[in-house]
Amino acid sequence: IDNIGTKWIGTDYGLASFDDVSWTVYQTFNSGLPDNSIRSLAIDHLNNVWIGTFTGGLVHFDGTNWTVYNTFNSDLPDDFVRCLAVDTLNNLWVGTIGGLAYFDGITWENYNTSNSVLASNNIGSLDVDPVYNSVAIGTINGGLVYKDAGGWTHYNIWNSNLPDNTILGLDKDSSGVVWMATPAAGLSAHTGGFSFLTLNTASSAIASNSLTSISISNNEDIWVSSNDSGIIKKSGLNFVCY
């Protein structure tokens, strides 16, 4: 949802926007999109839309102009962009299947298994802390990583009680606790240090352990999507499945 309330929706058949009255659909034949398969979206502080595609790289849309960044014309690590996040400086974190990138609109900084603590180049989720301007990085088969001004911190199933090395969704509650949607171990919260609280079908009333994304609402309800049980809401200690 952008700064004026327009909803942006990424699908396998193009990008759509909805202003509560009208729909606009952008596809490769009527816009500057290089690929109709949309995998991630982010809105920056200037209300520009950033679009991550399946095979076409990263796209910037300012409402009129389309700019495409790919592995041929930029230092984007891979053209499959899984996740995006905007930091407090209005710069962009880009998670691809070939590594993590930081883009200020001109310069790229790339991080991967060879130049950082990342144990996987396949980035599954991102979340920026607006207070400390740090970034939480969920990987595919590589655990959870934090990057801040002090450096890197890495958690996995071997050095902590993180329940799953794959993290497909990240969000932070009002107390600063990072919550994670995992595809095999349910919902997990980083409670501090090497400690994680995990809510799965064995330890709670959650309907599924196979979670794919997460969003925390203003009233602290935690919403997760699942592979096999629809949408699940955690409200306090209660779970409701839709």
Side-chain angles (χ1 to χ4, degrees), residues 124-147:
S125 50
L126 294 166
D127 184 70
V128 171
D129 187 323
V131 177
Y132 300 103
N133 207 31
S134 61
V135 60
I137 306 147
T139 71
I140 309 296
N141 297 321
L144 173 69
V145 178
Y146 294 103
K147 186 182 187 307

Side-chain angles (χ1 to χ4, degrees), residues 141-157:
N141 297 321
L144 173 69
V145 178
Y146 294 103
K147 186 182 187 307
D148 58 24
W152 301 80
T153 310
H154 180 220
Y155 302 96
N156 56 40
I157 61 174

